[in-house]
């Protein structure tokens, strides 16, 4: 059997390993010099005044919600087509997520549907830049400005993406990044809140470190806080990765282009839409969608066949409103967000990482084409089989 091609693969250089070893052989493994150095570099990469590094993207989202002063009785408009953390961060603070369906081409929040979900409890909008493609921030910010809503960007998948030349993460009150190993840059585990608001940054720094005050007196806790700290070991890795951000995003864009060119020959597959004229994509994952005539079962069969060929792949995302605890807590049912469900039933995330080669892209694409044609053949056969079975 030929070798496996993983869904994602971290890219840590020898120089980055050395940075980590340097921290490990020094006296300060946490709250040392790497933390502010990483934050300064991050703020620059995000085009914001402040960055507050934390232990995950989820922690960053949580602090964004807290810093916005949102709480019980408040509603925030967000997308059901996302990683579960972008809605969970609202639940942490007893805020009610008010889902709005997505655009069928961009997979981002459809701004035209936002108005219909606004009510007297609405306080904010939390757009997600899905798969690294900026949400329609001009429309979202226009609605928010008119109504006095706070905007929190889940930019965890989109570091370096731009709208009108402005980097995502800095387009609302606060934004966040995540550095899990499948993200564009990694710190192993990690995340960051970014903002232009000094008060948001000050509060986030206190909350991540057990509510300590700015003086940092070790046993003086000014407010209820958390341990959301990111160690200097992680920050050292992140600094190295950030220094290569432009090159990493270039490699990923190149892989995405290779895929889209090759898959243009497979008409059953819908490749990611090109970036909108005013924006750029930061390629996080490469997700294709099967044409409308395919079912969820067809898609699952394609996933199975790809895996049999040694190709890492996944459905992406599972809609948040259909997760068990959202269904039981809020009474959501299949059918509530038809575009999200239609897309989620047909998506396939293909192997995607910095050093994916042209040969590997070819192997994935031909395996995908084979898997699809075996399904198309089967569905031609099925009516006869059904007739034979007397159904
Ligand atoms: C990765 C990600 C997060 C945060 O993930 P962590 O695993 O907590 O770092 C949040 N939202 C989205 C959309 C993500 O993709």
């Amino acid at each position: 059997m030929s070798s496996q091609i993983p869904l994602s693969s971290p890219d840590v250089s020898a120089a980055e390993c050395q940075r980590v070893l340097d921290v490990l052989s020094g006296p300060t493994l946490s709250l040392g010099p790497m933390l502010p150095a990483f934050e300064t570099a991050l703020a620059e990469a995000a085009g914001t005044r402040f960055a507050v590094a934390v232990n995950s993207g989820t922690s960053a989202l949580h602090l964004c919600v807290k810093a916005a002063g949102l709480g019980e009785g408040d509603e925030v408009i967000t997308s059901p087509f996302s990683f579960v953390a972008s809605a969970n961060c609202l639940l942490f603070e007893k805020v009610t997520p008010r889902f709005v369906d997505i655009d069928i081409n961009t997979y981002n929040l459809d701004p035209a549907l936002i108005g219909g979900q606004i009510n007297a409890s609405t306080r904010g909008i939390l757009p997600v830049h899905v798969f690294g493609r900026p949400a329609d921030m001009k429309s979202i910010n226009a609605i928010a400005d008119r109504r006095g809503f706070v905007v929190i960007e889940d930019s965890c998948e989109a570091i370096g993406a731009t709208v009108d030349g402005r980097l995502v993460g800095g387009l609302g009150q606060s934004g966040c990044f995540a550095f899990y190993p499948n993200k564009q840059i990694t710190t192993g585990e990690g995340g960051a809140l970014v903002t232009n608001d000094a008060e948001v940054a000050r509060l986030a720094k206190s909350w991540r470190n057990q509510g300590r005050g700015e003086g940092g007196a070790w046993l003086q806790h000014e407010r209820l806080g958390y341990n959301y700290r990111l160690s200097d070991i992680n920050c050292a890795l992140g600094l190295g990765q950030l220094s290569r951000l432009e090159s990493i995003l270039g490699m990923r864009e190149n892989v995405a282009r290779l895929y889209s060119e090759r898959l243009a020959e497979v008409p059953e597959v819908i490749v990611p839409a090109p970036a909108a004229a005013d924006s750029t994509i930061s390629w996080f994952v490469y997700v294709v969608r099967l044409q409308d005539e395919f079912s969820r079962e067809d898609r699952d069969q394609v996933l199975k066949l790809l895996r049999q060929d040694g190709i890492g792949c996944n459905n992406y995302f599972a809609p948040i409103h259909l997760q068990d605890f959202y269904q039981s807590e809020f009474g959501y049912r299949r059918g509530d967000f038809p575009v999200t469900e239609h897309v989620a039933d047909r998506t396939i995330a293909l192997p995607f990482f910095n050093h994916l080669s042209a040969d590997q892209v070819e192997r994935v694409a031909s395996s995908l084409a084979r898997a699809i044609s075996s399904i198309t053949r089967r569905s031609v056969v099925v009516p006869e089989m059904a007739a034979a079975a007397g159904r």
Side-chain angles (χ1 to χ4, degrees):
M1 213 187 96
S2 51
S3 64
Q4 307 275 316
I5 305 179
L7 182 55
S8 76
S9 170
D11 168 20
V12 176
S13 70
E16 287 154 13
C17 291
Q18 189 56 52
R19 283 178 188 258
V20 169
L21 288 173
D22 289 348
V23 172
L24 285 172
S25 54
T28 318
L29 300 190
S30 190
L31 297 176
M34 290 299 137
L35 176 65
F38 183 45
E39 289 178 334
T40 301
L42 265 175
E44 192 177 325
T48 53
R49 288 176 66 203
F50 307 99
V52 180
V54 291
N55 59 354
S56 74
T58 305
S59 301
L61 273 165
H62 181 199
L63 298 187
C64 290
V65 172
K66 266 186 90 76
L70 300 166
E72 193 160 10
D74 294 338
E75 291 194 3
V76 168
I77 287 169
T78 191
S79 172
F81 189 70
S82 175
F83 182 60
V84 72
S86 63
N88 283 355
C89 67
L90 298 168
L91 302 189
F92 297 162
E93 292 299 316
K94 301 189 162 60
V95 177
T96 304
R98 174 68 57 180
F99 292 123
V100 162
D101 214 345
I102 57 170
D103 179 277
I104 185 96
N105 298 309
T106 66
Y107 307 158
N108 281 321
L109 255 183
D110 183 348
L113 300 177
I114 291 177
Q117 295 304 316
I118 292 173
N119 61 40
S121 301
T122 311
R123 296 283 176 271
I125 310 177
L126 196 160
V128 182
H129 305 304
V130 171
F131 305 154
R133 175 189 307 272
D136 182 349
M137 291 306 293
K138 283 188 239 173
S139 304
I140 288 167
N141 277 337
I143 296 168
D145 286 349
R146 201 158 56 235
R147 310 263 190 167
F149 296 160
V150 65
V151 172
I152 297 169
E153 291 176 82
D154 183 342
S155 35
C156 283
E157 302 190 349
I159 189 166
T162 61
V163 179
D164 274 344
R166 296 176 61 206
L167 290 153
V168 302
L171 305 178
Q173 181 186 80
S174 60
C176 54
F177 298 113
F179 308 123
Y180 188 74
N182 69 337
K183 297 275 159 50
Q184 290 91 327
I185 69 164
T186 186
T187 59
E189 293 279 3
L193 174 155
V194 292
T195 183
N196 290 310
D197 184 319
E199 183 62 7
V200 168
R202 189 180 71 83
L203 284 168
K205 282 187 179 173
S206 174
W207 281 321
R208 79 151 165 216
N209 191 15
Q210 304 285 16
R212 289 184 171 95
E214 253 162 299
W218 196 247
L219 290 176
Q220 192 180 328
H221 305 275
E222 296 183 353
R223 53 186 66 79
L224 177 64
Y226 308 85
N227 179 357
Y228 283 173
R229 293 186 301 261
L230 188 67
S231 83
D232 267 39
I233 306 167
N234 303 89
C235 291
L237 174 54
L239 257 175
Q241 293 257 302
L242 260 188
S243 72
R244 292 196 290 133
L245 180 63
E246 217 182 293
S247 135
I248 287 172
L249 296 184
M251 287 190 269
R252 298 174 87 89
E253 186 171 13
N254 192 45
V255 174
R257 190 177 41 76
L258 287 175
Y259 263 130
S260 291
E261 283 169 11
R262 174 62 175 83
L263 292 174
E265 300 161 29
V266 186
E268 295 89 347
V269 162
I270 300 168
V271 300
D278 63 353
S279 71
T280 62
I281 297 169
S282 165
W283 288 90
F284 165 50
V285 283
Y286 190 85
V287 176
V288 298
R289 184 171 112 230
L290 296 180
Q291 294 282 6
D292 298 351
E293 64 265 25
F294 292 89
S295 67
R296 180 158 48 131
E297 291 69 29
D298 291 334
R299 188 277 311 276
D300 291 344
Q301 180 64 16
V302 172
L303 291 175
K304 197 174 130 200
L305 293 171
L306 283 171
R307 285 181 190 133
Q308 282 174 7
D309 262 359
I311 288 165
C313 56
N314 226 337
N315 55 313
Y316 220 68
F317 295 105
I320 297 176
H321 68 284
L322 296 181
Q323 300 289 341
D324 281 345
F325 69 105
Y326 278 85
Q327 291 204 38
S328 54
E329 181 95 357
F330 299 101
Y332 291 121
R333 293 282 168 275
R334 203 160 241 286
D336 287 343
F337 300 98
V339 182
T340 292
E341 293 164 23
H342 179 93
V343 170
D345 284 350
R346 290 167 181 78
T347 46
I348 300 172
L350 297 175
F352 192 70
F353 43 91
N354 299 350
H355 293 286
L356 193 74
S357 70
D359 285 351
Q360 287 175 312
V361 166
E362 175 54 36
R363 218 185 102 200
V364 173
S366 51
S367 176
L368 178 61
R370 250 192 335 271
I372 290 170
S373 67
S374 82
I375 292 211
T376 351
R377 275 199 305 280
R378 190 204 58 195
S379 58
V380 172
V381 174
V382 162
E384 297 164 23
M385 285 169 36
R391 278 183 282 144

